[in-house]
Amino acid sequence: MNEDLRVKEYEKEKNDAELAVRIKGSDAPLEKSENKRKIVFREMWADAFMHKKGELAEPKEVSVKKKAPSPYVYLRIAALYVIAIIILLTVFYFFDFHELYPIICLLVGTFVPFVCLIFFFELDTNDKIGIGMTIFLFFIASGIFLGIRFLAVKFVIELNDTVNFLGSLLVGGIEVTVSFLFIFLMVKSLKIKDVITGCYLGAIVGTAFAVMNNIIVCFNSSYSQTAAGYDFTLVSGVGKYSFSDVFNNMITAVTWDCVPRSVASLLTGCIFGGFSVYAGVTEERMYVVVLYYITILLGGFVFTSLWYVSDISSAEYIVYGLRILHIVCAIIVSAKIIRYGLSNNKYEL
């Protein structure tokens, strides 16, 4: 009985092998009776979501020498963004092509985050984080931001969309804590040892937060919240506002909120990611690293909270001044971390 089974298995393997050779060696189309290839969706599912022989789990070997970064694509992308926005704005105003409104909102909302992200992508020549991983991290971070925003809307932001200082501290603290933990865990999970790669990973998270915030700002600038729900701003002001007026209000909100906050959010993520790697490779004493940790997290907590404050009638100039200070500090600290990362890499001449 066992011998019969072995013979059957051998014959089956032989037939399968001959079929494979025939398919590979002949260019002629198979007869209908000969075509035994089938699509097995269960195996496709396994191929997509399961590792095979640990091939995807193995860390990628990276040479000590790397190609020196020469970022320039981000400038070309920025130029294309500016040209596209100018053309669309011209058509919008002179030809009343109001259908361009959502497209302009999308371009304006993603301009700063995506251009800055491309800069960090070019700066990182390690190739540890590819395009696929970038997209994956972007969507995960976007979901995290939307979850934080949902909690803020449900429990902190009032019906008139104002947030006091205490509420902003709560939301800002949650955002900083969750984003830092996510970046730290991804650095450890991907076994990142290059500070520049850590900066790029943090910039991905910061970009996701900035894009989601910009979309929300554009929405809130176009619609007004009432007790009955959301109404388009033009509808709530019939006879007083034109569609162009609504659009101008959105542009103003984007200019003074989205652009500076995008820079602050992206650079804060860059600092979190770069420092998460720096803390593991630096030769500084432990108490110095801990002090850096406390300073960065405390600064991120305070500064990030300021972007959630909307009830600033009594301290408007102080809040705006501290927001500017956040951007300046983020630029200085991120530049130092990037310079450290570049100086510790061995680049090819």
Side-chain angles (χ1 to χ4, degrees):
M1 184 65 181
N2 293 335
E3 288 294 325
D4 292 339
L5 289 176
R6 290 197 187 97
V7 170
K8 289 181 179 179
E9 290 179 357
Y10 172 78
E11 292 295 334
K12 182 178 183 301
E13 292 175 0
K14 183 180 178 181
N15 293 334
D16 291 342
E18 289 176 355
L19 178 61
V21 171
R22 190 162 60 249
I23 292 173
K24 183 177 181 181
S26 176
D27 294 332
L30 294 174
E31 297 293 336
K32 185 175 181 181
S33 59
E34 294 178 334
N35 190 0
K36 299 181 180 180
R37 290 170 293 180
K38 296 181 180 180
I39 297 177
V40 182
F41 291 100
R42 178 176 55 81
E43 293 181 0
M44 294 176 63
W45 178 273
D47 290 340
F49 294 97
M50 295 179 63
H51 299 306
K52 285 196 172 184
K53 298 180 181 179
E55 295 172 354
L56 299 178
E58 294 179 359
K60 185 178 180 181
E61 294 293 335
V62 179
S63 174
V64 175
K65 287 188 176 182
K66 307 177 183 68
K67 185 179 178 181
S70 56
Y72 65 91
V73 174
Y74 78 100
L75 290 176
R76 297 183 179 183
I77 298 298
L80 291 175
Y81 256 105
V82 172
I83 293 173
I85 291 174
I86 291 176
I87 293 175
L88 294 180
L89 286 176
T90 302
V91 175
F92 178 87
Y93 282 112
F94 287 95
F95 299 98
D96 293 329
F97 193 8
H98 295 159
E99 287 80 358
L100 294 177
Y101 181 77
I103 301 176
I104 296 175
C105 291
L106 179 63
L107 290 178
V108 172
T110 59
F111 174 38
V112 173
F114 282 172
V115 169
C116 293
L117 182 63
I118 293 172
F119 168 78
F120 281 100
F121 176 77
E122 292 185 279
L123 200 65
D124 177 32
T125 60
N126 200 356
D127 294 333
K128 184 75 173 180
I129 302 178
I131 299 296
M133 180 58 68
T134 298
I135 297 173
F136 174 76
L137 292 174
F138 176 85
F139 279 105
I140 294 296
S142 299
I144 292 174
F145 179 84
L146 292 177
I148 296 172
R149 178 72 184 186
F150 172 78
L151 294 176
V153 170
K154 285 294 183 180
F155 303 106
V156 179
I157 301 178
E158 301 174 355
L159 183 62
N160 57 0
D161 202 28
T162 61
V163 184
N164 54 28
F165 286 98
L166 182 60
S168 66
L169 289 175
L170 176 61
V171 179
I174 295 175
E175 179 178 324
V176 169
T177 303
V178 174
S179 61
F180 180 81
L181 287 177
F182 176 70
I183 293 172
F184 181 82
L185 291 175
M186 292 308 303
V187 166
K188 298 301 180 183
S189 176
L190 297 175
K191 299 179 181 179
I192 296 175
K193 300 298 182 182
D194 187 356
V195 173
I196 300 299
T197 306
C199 291
Y200 175 54
L201 189 149
I204 297 172
V205 177
T207 298
F209 279 36
V211 170
M212 293 300 105
N213 173 75
N214 293 351
I215 292 174
I216 292 173
V217 170
C218 291
F219 178 83
N220 288 336
S221 300
S222 305
Y223 291 83
S224 59
Q225 186 177 10
T226 64
Y230 280 95
D231 289 327
F232 193 60
T233 305
L234 178 62
V235 176
S236 61
V238 174
K240 184 178 181 181
Y241 300 107
S242 66
F243 193 90
S244 297
D245 292 330
V246 176
F247 181 78
N248 292 335
N249 292 334
M250 188 276 294
I251 290 294
T252 302
V254 167
T255 303
W256 296 105
D257 188 348
C258 293
V259 172
R261 185 171 180 179
S262 295
V263 175
S265 178
L266 191 138
L267 292 182
T268 300
C270 166
I271 294 171
F272 286 168
F275 184 76
S276 297
V277 180
Y278 170 83
V281 300
T282 184
E283 297 179 355
E284 294 278 2
R285 295 181 180 274
M286 182 58 65
Y287 73 89
V288 176
V289 175
V290 172
L291 184 61
Y292 284 160
Y293 263 118
I294 295 174
T295 303
I296 289 175
L297 288 176
L298 185 61
F301 164 66
V302 174
F303 285 132
T304 302
S305 301
L306 295 171
W307 296 96
Y308 283 99
V309 180
S310 58
D311 186 12
I312 56 177
S313 56
S314 59
E316 180 176 359
Y317 294 107
I318 296 177
V319 172
Y320 283 123
L322 290 175
R323 288 179 180 178
I324 295 174
L325 181 61
H326 181 196
I327 297 174
V328 173
C329 292
I331 293 175
I332 294 174
V333 177
S334 60
K336 287 183 175 296
I337 292 178
I338 292 172
R339 189 177 291 114
Y340 173 87
L342 293 174
S343 64
N344 281 269
N345 289 340
K346 297 180 180 178
Y347 294 107
E348 296 177 352
L349 299 177

